[in-house]
């Protein structure tokens, strides 16, 4: 019998994790196809190349010989069509590849909302290696790019702002929300971030929407028009960072069922038994807890990869992610979250917030009012231990337990100032 | 190919602001005074020339640092490190490397160029330092005094730069203050003051107390041991201190804190690397091949210095039995017992923590040292323990390792291979501490569950070339013998994944297939299967 052939489309964290775990569990033939880059790289670190902290080679988590050594077949090409019944995919080079099982892990693409001028030169997102190279052309310095406008206040937007700031390019940051990222964060944190972002000289405009992008005769952006004020802002670059959506254009012609993403069941299986979808491009048919059906984060891709490998290697396994966690960095402020803290307390939930009187350090705890059960924790400027909160959530600990044992959660470097005492003090005061 | 090209190549990092330019000018004027002195051009009084030179250099460096960091908010700002000519192996990096290397070669092998005159009046550069040396020790300067002074100024001024650069990080601040303190006091001032105690019939060897054998490879050579013994109880205390430093103090501190207590808090080589070398830390090679090379080389150096020291001590023990109560046979038996004990403990308790090649190498080294030592007990070989003259072993170690490796290559090549080449590939002290750190220590770098995003900052900025990310992205603690605990990986991590800790011995080395955050059942399932 010949070895089963597993084909993976996409060499991002989802596809590559699946491949690695399949290799751990079996010696199936594994082919990974991607058009973006020859080798897997860390998308989350794109910003550091532009800022000169690292070079491209540092973004690759595995040395180049790793892939051959572990017998992965790498193909750099674009998949243009899938034929589920024939067990075939077609590449841009017209080559066809037969698969026994297929994993689609094609990630996301930046959102565009049909703004006039959104496809002009000098308008771009920040998602891929090609975007990074383009940014290097569009905004090498503040002479070529005298001002940049960023549209959309999410995590990628703030990274782009920091990047451009290192090259002393003035940035205007258009954000739809009333406070930065307060569609996710409670207002207290969001306001702290407003201030922090502005303190770096970023021209942050809240409650502001883009109306259109103004383009010159060479189809190059020269300004944007703001909806609320009709103001015209001259600029040489427009960064579109208003979220991402699944990158599944090429799937739409096939009979694989899609909605916004590729629809999958709890086995991460599409409507075809031998075709799976994981990572940013997958959409859950069934809701999992408070999680969104599409989660465009690194960790989700990794966990799905870990799970799907088990299923493919003959141990069918539900995708059953543990407690939600995430992290990010806003200029100099590190953020971690464990469990759920919603921007508005949900019915029956209560919030406790503490902020350092001067520094940009704060925490936010969400718990059930009646049972006092701990639900989630936001921390800004203090590193905290993932294991600690996982155990608290596993054990359905109360908020009082969590606050009492907060020193066990501290993950800041040694010799750092600690804040548990004043947090505990404030918590006590609030409870009376 | 596009992937190997530097994508951020268009950034212009080397635009200096006005203050930086002035600072550079002042700093280089200070240096220029020293260069002139080498060519016998001293326009003013020597003391004035020396002081103004040292002050200019210091002001230049500190002012430059200040104007660099003043405009930036506190935080990780490694902007343009990989674009700037000096920190990305450009022209200036090679020029600096060449100058440093040249300086070391002159210093070690041609000190007369610097103006050293044995038994006479120094000239040129060294003469410039005579007044300062006289104030401290009462003696004229030597090339080592010149070197020591410049070295101390480098640690001091670049230390201040590190304090500014890492002002958001208390671990870095305290650690930097520590290396400045140990350099200034233990390495520079105290030994000079100790030299003041010397009289015609009392003389202590020049002793930097924190410089421990085998880094201080000459500590047990005959002339020093004689000096210690002749200096009565103070000398004896110092000799005993030298021995317990390596056999008692070092193991205890390393057990509690890992080798960092020495390598990045106390040691002078480490001190220079962490301050003056800080801008070059990312240049260390992270490949698996470099790691392999490192493991062989550093352990060979350690075996080399162990053999050389045994041979040297052996050679003088027989000379004067009235002076040394230790006989050659007891000495060798003691050495063999210690080595066997360490070897047996490792093989019995820690076999599983070692990789195969490490075990083979350990066995081979043990057999080689053992059989060389046993030659003493066979007639006819007594005079030349280890086949070579002790003197040959000693002097070739001093030349190859002490001068060329630690100085010329170790520091001279900072801008090309990074700031810890010596510490990583050559230092026998680091090898011994590292072995213990790997096997018997509470120290580790803990990774924070599933939070790693594989960005690579930690690996890039690890001066020891450890691929930290390879562990972090698997949720595995970092327990590596080479880690000097500088804490920079934790500093640059944008997601708060890494923490240097001294903690429980259980679960120190962990390795899991599935990271925290995924299904608990899947984790359990994989553990069982
Ligand atoms: C700048 C930036 C910063 C981020 N920071 C964070 C962070 O800090 N934390 C976090 O959790 N998440 C972060 N994310 C999100 C995270 O990177 C993504 O969720 C994750 O990379 C998605 O992984 P994936 O494997 O699903 O898809 P991807 O990484 O997008 O990989 C998909 C690959 O498939 C290729 N591909 C697509 N279609 C085809 C085709 N038809 N044929 C061939 N190849 C194809 C794509 O080119 C791509 O290489 C960030 C994203 C960006 C852009
Ligand atoms: S692993 Fe971290 S602490 Fe250890 S040497 Fe490398 S950067 Fe320093
Ligand atoms: S540990 Fe931190 S710095 Fe290292 S790869 Fe992971 S996220 Fe990046």
């Amino acid at each position: 019998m010949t070895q089963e052939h597993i084909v993976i489309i996409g060499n991002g964290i989802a596809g590559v994790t699946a491949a690695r775990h399949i290799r751990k569990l079996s010696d199936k033939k594994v082919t990974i196809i991607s058009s973006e880059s020859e080798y897997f790289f860390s998308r989350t670190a794109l910003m550091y190349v532009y800022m000169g902290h690292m070079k491209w080679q540092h973004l690759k988590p595995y040395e180049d010989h790793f892939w051959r050594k572990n017998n992965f077949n790498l193909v750099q090409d674009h998949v243009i069509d899938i034929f589920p019944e024939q067990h075939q995919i077609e590449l841009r080079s017209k080559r066809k590849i037969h698969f026994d099982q297929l994993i689609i892990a094609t990630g996301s693409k930046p959102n565009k909302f049909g703004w006039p001028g959104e496809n002009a030169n000098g308008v771009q997102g920040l998602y891929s290696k090609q975007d990074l190279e383009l940014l290097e052309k569009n905004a090498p310095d503040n002479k070529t790019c005298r001002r940049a406008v960023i549209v959309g206040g999410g995590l990628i937007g703030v990274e782009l702002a920091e990047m451009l700031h290192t090259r002393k390019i003035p940035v205007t940051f258009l954000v739809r929300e009333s406070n930065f990222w307060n569609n996710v964060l409670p207002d207290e944190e969001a306001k702290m971030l407003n201030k922090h972002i502005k303190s770096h000289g970023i021209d942050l405009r809240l409650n502001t929407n883009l109306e259109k992008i103004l383009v010159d005769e060479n189809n190059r952006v020269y300004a944007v028009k703001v909806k609320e004020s009709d103001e015209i802002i001259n600029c040489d670059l427009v960064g579109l960072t208003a979220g991402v959506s699944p990158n599944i254009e090429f799937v739409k012609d096939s009979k694989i069922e899609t909605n916004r993403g590729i629809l999958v069941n709890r086995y991460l299986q599409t409507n075809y038994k031998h075709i799976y979808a994981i990572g940013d491009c997958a959409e859950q048919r069934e809701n999992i807890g408070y999680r969104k059906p599409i989660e465009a984060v690194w960790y989700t891709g990794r966990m799905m990869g870990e799970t799907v490998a088990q299923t493919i290697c003959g141990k069918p396994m539900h995708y059953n992610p543990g407690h939600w966690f995430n992290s990010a960095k806003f200029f100099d402020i590190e953020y971690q979250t464990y469990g759920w803290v919603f921007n508005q307390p949900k019915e029956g939930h209560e919030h406790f917030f503490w902020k350092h009187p001067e520094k940009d350090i704060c925490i936010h705890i969400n718990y059930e009012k009646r049972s006092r059960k701990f639900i989630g924790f936001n921390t800004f400027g203090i590193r905290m231990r993932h294991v600690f909160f996982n155990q608290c959530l596993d054990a359905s600990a109360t908020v009082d337990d969590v606050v009492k044992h907060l020193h066990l959660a501290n993950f800041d470097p040694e010799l750092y100032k600690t804040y548990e005492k004043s947090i505990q003090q404030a918590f006590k005061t609030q409870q009376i | 190919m596009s992937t190997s090209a530097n994508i951020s190549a268009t950034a212009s990092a080397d635009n200096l602001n006005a203050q930086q330019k002035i600072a550079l000018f002042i700093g280089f004027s200070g240096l220029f005074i020293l260069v002139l002195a080498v060519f016998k051009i001293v326009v003013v009084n020597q003391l004035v020339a020396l002081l103004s030179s040292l002050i200019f250099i210091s002001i230049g460096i500190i002012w430059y640092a200040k104007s660099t960091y003043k405009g930036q908010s506190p935080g990780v700002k490694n902007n343009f490190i990989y674009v700037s000519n000096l920190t990305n192996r450009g022209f200036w990096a090679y020029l600096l490397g060449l100058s440093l290397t040249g300086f070391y070669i002159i210093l070690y092998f041609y000190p007369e160029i610097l103006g050293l005159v044995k038994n006479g009046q120094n000239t040129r550069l060294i003469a410039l330092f005579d007044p300062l040396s006289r104030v401290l020790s009462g003696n004229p300067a030597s090339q080592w005094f010149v070197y020591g002074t410049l070295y101390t100024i480098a640690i001091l001024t670049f230390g201040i730069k590190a304090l500014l650069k890492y002002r958001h990080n208390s671990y870095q601040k305290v650690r930097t203050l520590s290396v400045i303190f140990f350099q200034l006091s233990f390495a520079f001032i105290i030994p000079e003051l100790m030299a003041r105690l010397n009289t015609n019939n009392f003389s202590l060897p020049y002793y930097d107390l924190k410089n421990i054998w085998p880094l201080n490879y000459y500590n047990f050579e005959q002339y020093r041991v004689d000096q210690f013994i002749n200096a009565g109880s103070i000398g004896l205390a110092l000799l005993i201190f030298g021995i317990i430093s390596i056999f008692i103090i070092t193991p205890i501190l390393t057990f509690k804190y890992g080798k960092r207590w020495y390598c990045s808090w106390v040691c002078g080589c480490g001190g220079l690397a962490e301050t003056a070398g800080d801008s070059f830390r990312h240049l260390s090679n992270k490949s698996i091949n470099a790691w392999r090379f490192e493991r062989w080389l550093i352990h060979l150096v350690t075996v080399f210095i162990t053999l050389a020291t045994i041979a040297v001590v052996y050679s003088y023990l027989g000379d004067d039995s009235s002076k040394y109560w230790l006989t050659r046979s007891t000495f060798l038996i003691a050495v063999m017992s210690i080595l066997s004990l360490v070897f047996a403990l490792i093989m019995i308790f820690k076999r599983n923590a070692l990789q195969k090649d490490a075990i083979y190498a350990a066995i081979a080294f043990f057999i080689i040292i053992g059989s060389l030592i046993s030659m003493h007990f066979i007639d006819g070989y007594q005079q030349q323990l280890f086949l070579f003259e002790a003197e040959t072993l000693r002097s070739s170690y001093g030349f190859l390792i002490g001068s060329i490796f630690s100085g010329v290559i170790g520091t001279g090549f900072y801008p090309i291979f990074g700031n810890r080449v010596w510490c990583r590939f050559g230092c026998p002290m680091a090898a011994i501490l590292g072995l213990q750190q790997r096997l018997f220590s509470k120290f580790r770098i803990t990774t924070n569950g599933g939070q790693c995003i594989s960005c690579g900052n930690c690996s890039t900025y690890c001066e020891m070339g450890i691929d930290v990310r390879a562990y972090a992205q698997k949720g595995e603690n970092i327990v590596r013998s080479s880690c000097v605990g500088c804490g920079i990986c934790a500093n640059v991590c944008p997601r708060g994944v890494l923490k240097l800790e001294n903690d429980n011995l259980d679960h120190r080395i962990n390795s899991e297939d599935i990271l925290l955050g995924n299904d608990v059942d899947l984790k359990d399932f994989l553990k069982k299967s």
Side-chain angles (χ1 to χ4, degrees), chain B residues 325-354:
Chain B
W325 52 268
L326 200 63
T327 67
R328 286 181 160 184
S329 301
T330 8
F331 169 67
L332 289 183
I333 290 169
V335 168
M336 219 31 222
S337 316
I338 294 174
L339 287 176
S340 312
L341 186 71
V342 172
F343 183 74
L345 284 176
I346 293 175
M347 286 303 153
I348 294 167
F349 295 109
K350 294 289 171 175
R351 219 173 28 247
N352 299 332
L354 293 176

Side-chain angles (χ1 to χ4, degrees), chain A residues 9-15 33-36 43-44 77-79 105-108 126-127 156 159 247 250 279-280 296-299 326, chain B residues 453 495:
Chain A
I9 313 177
N11 66 353
I13 180 67
I33 306 169
S34 175
S35 43
E36 181 181 7
R43 190 173 304 292
T44 52
D77 204 336
H78 199 75
V79 179
T106 50
S108 309
L126 176 67
Y127 189 84
I156 300 181
E159 286 187 2
N247 182 12
F250 73 108
D280 280 19
V297 290
W298 184 260
Y299 315 110
N326 199 1
Chain B
I453 52 169
R495 294 294 178 270

Side-chain angles (χ1 to χ4, degrees), chain A residues 53 136 332 384-386 412, chain B residues 10 73 448 461 499 501:
Chain A
H53 294 208
E136 197 60 57
D332 300 315
M384 300 254 180
R385 230 176 257 270
H386 190 175
D412 266 340
Chain B
T10 59
S73 58
N448 199 6
Y461 286 91
K499 179 170 165 68
E501 286 189 302

Side-chain angles (χ1 to χ4, degrees), chain A residues 13 20-21 24-25 37-38 40 42 44-45 48-63 65 69 129 132-133 136-137 139-141 143 159 162 166-167 196 200 291 298-299 302-304 306-307 310 315 317-323 325-329 332 334-338 383-387 390 394 410-417, chain B residues 1-12 15 73-83 88 168-172 174-175 260 265 282 286-289 443 446-457 460-461 467 469-470 473-474 490-503 512-522 525-526 529:
Chain A
I13 180 67
R20 276 182 36 239
H21 283 265
K24 274 191 187 169
L25 298 164
S37 62
E38 194 175 2
F40 169 48
S42 178
T44 52
Y48 299 107
V49 177
Y50 181 83
M51 301 200 299
H53 294 208
M54 290 192 267
K55 286 192 189 178
W56 181 259
Q57 72 204 57
H58 300 113
L59 265 48
K60 293 184 279 185
Y62 303 93
E63 284 185 61
H65 58 71
K69 205 175 123 208
K129 174 166 188 259
L132 179 69
E133 285 160 349
E136 197 60 57
K137 286 211 193 77
D141 52 47
K143 289 187 194 74
E159 286 187 2
E162 182 176 355
T166 59
R167 299 210 188 172
H196 186 71
H200 286 265
R291 285 174 186 261
W298 184 260
Y299 315 110
R302 188 179 64 208
M303 294 191 282
M304 288 183 173
E306 289 166 354
T307 312
Q310 300 290 329
K315 298 175 203 144
M317 182 150 284
H318 267 185
Y319 172 56
N320 192 21
H323 307 289
F325 68 96
N326 199 1
S327 60
K329 194 169 179 185
D332 300 315
E334 286 179 24
Y335 152 70
Q336 296 177 334
T337 187
Y338 299 102
R383 294 176 174 180
M384 300 254 180
R385 230 176 257 270
H386 190 175
V387 198
N390 235 45
D394 277 345
N410 190 300
F411 202 72
D412 266 340
E414 296 151 299
L415 307 175
Y416 267 46
K417 218 171 135 47
Chain B
M1 242 188 70
S2 70
T3 47
S4 58
N6 193 358
I7 293 179
S8 56
T10 59
S12 49
N15 289 341
S73 58
V76 180
K77 301 279 144 61
N78 287 321
N79 302 338
F80 308 125
I81 294 282
Y82 273 104
V83 183
N88 188 32
H168 59 286
N169 186 323
S170 334
Y171 181 79
Q172 296 307 330
V174 179
R175 195 173 62 76
R260 56 182 169 152
W265 284 72
H282 53 286
K286 314 299 188 307
S287 69
I288 294 196
N289 284 334
F443 173 72
T446 310
T447 52
N448 199 6
Q451 286 281 24
C452 175
I453 52 169
S454 299
C455 70
N457 277 295
T460 305
Y461 286 91
D467 189 0
R469 165 173 59 189
Q473 66 189 359
K474 288 193 277 180
N491 175 58
V492 296
C493 174
R495 294 294 178 270
V497 179
L498 304 163
K499 179 170 165 68
L500 283 64
E501 286 189 302
N502 316 306
D503 201 356
E512 295 186 17
D513 277 345
I514 300 291
L515 271 83
L516 193 63
N518 208 341
D519 189 358
V520 234
D521 296 339
L522 177 55
F525 171 80
L526 286 176
S529 60

Side-chain angles (χ1 to χ4, degrees), chain B residues 281 445 458 461-464 466 468 478 482-490 500:
Chain B
R281 56 171 55 250
I445 302 177
C458 51
Y461 286 91
C462 174
E463 54 190 352
M464 298 305 284
I466 299 173
V468 183
I478 294 105
S482 60
C483 169
V484 292
C486 64
I488 294 297
C489 52
L500 283 64

Side-chain angles (χ1 to χ4, degrees), chain B residues 249-482:
Chain B
I249 300 178
T250 296
I252 293 176
L253 289 175
T254 309
F255 176 74
K256 289 181 86 154
Y257 306 111
K259 83 196 228 186
R260 56 182 169 152
W261 76 267
Y262 193 71
C263 297
S264 63
W265 284 72
V266 172
C267 177
C269 304
L272 191 72
E274 295 293 346
T275 50
D278 179 67
S279 306
F280 305 111
R281 56 171 55 250
H282 53 286
L283 299 172
S284 60
N285 189 321
K286 314 299 188 307
S287 69
I288 294 196
N289 284 334
W291 181 17
R292 253 179 228 136
F293 180 63
E294 156 200 326
R295 294 169 58 194
W296 277 104
L297 193 55
I298 194 169
H299 293 113
L300 281 172
V301 172
T302 312
V303 170
F304 187 3
I305 186 57
T306 310
L307 288 176
T309 307
I310 297 172
V312 164
V313 175
Y314 178 90
S315 69
Y316 64 74
L317 278 185
D319 293 351
D320 184 354
S321 51
S322 63
K323 207 157 172 182
Y324 308 105
W325 52 268
L326 200 63
T327 67
R328 286 181 160 184
S329 301
T330 8
F331 169 67
L332 289 183
I333 290 169
V335 168
M336 219 31 222
S337 316
I338 294 174
L339 287 176
S340 312
L341 186 71
V342 172
F343 183 74
L345 284 176
I346 293 175
M347 286 303 153
I348 294 167
F349 295 109
K350 294 289 171 175
R351 219 173 28 247
N352 299 332
L354 293 176
Q355 303 202 9
K356 266 231 173 66
D357 59 341
I359 296 192
Y360 294 149
I363 295 176
F365 288 155
F366 183 68
I367 294 176
I368 292 172
I369 299 181
S371 38
L372 286 173
I373 287 183
S374 57
M375 282 162 66
H376 163 73
F377 300 97
I378 303 169
D379 285 343
Y381 284 104
Q382 264 92 345
Q383 267 321 307
Q384 290 180 12
L385 189 66
F386 304 155
L387 309 176
F388 296 99
E389 287 277 0
E391 179 50 32
T392 320
L393 279 178
R394 190 198 65 84
S395 58
S396 31
Y397 186 90
F399 173 74
L400 283 175
I401 312 293
S403 313
I404 300 283
F405 202 160
S406 78
V408 179
I409 299 178
T411 309
F413 285 17
Y414 268 12
I416 311 300
F417 296 130
N419 56 337
R420 286 275 194 177
V421 172
W422 159 248
C423 311
R424 179 184 182 193
F425 295 100
C427 177
M429 180 77 183
I432 293 176
L433 297 177
L435 183 72
Q436 196 197 334
Q437 166 160 291
R438 175 91 178 100
L439 301 177
F440 303 100
S441 170
K442 291 155 96 69
F443 173 72
R444 90 291 309 275
I445 302 177
T446 310
T447 52
N448 199 6
Q451 286 281 24
C452 175
I453 52 169
S454 299
C455 70
N457 277 295
C458 51
S459 298
T460 305
Y461 286 91
C462 174
E463 54 190 352
M464 298 305 284
I466 299 173
D467 189 0
V468 183
R469 165 173 59 189
Y471 300 84
Q473 66 189 359
K474 288 193 277 180
E476 196 175 321
N477 290 346
I478 294 105
V479 185
R480 279 278 293 268
S481 48
S482 60

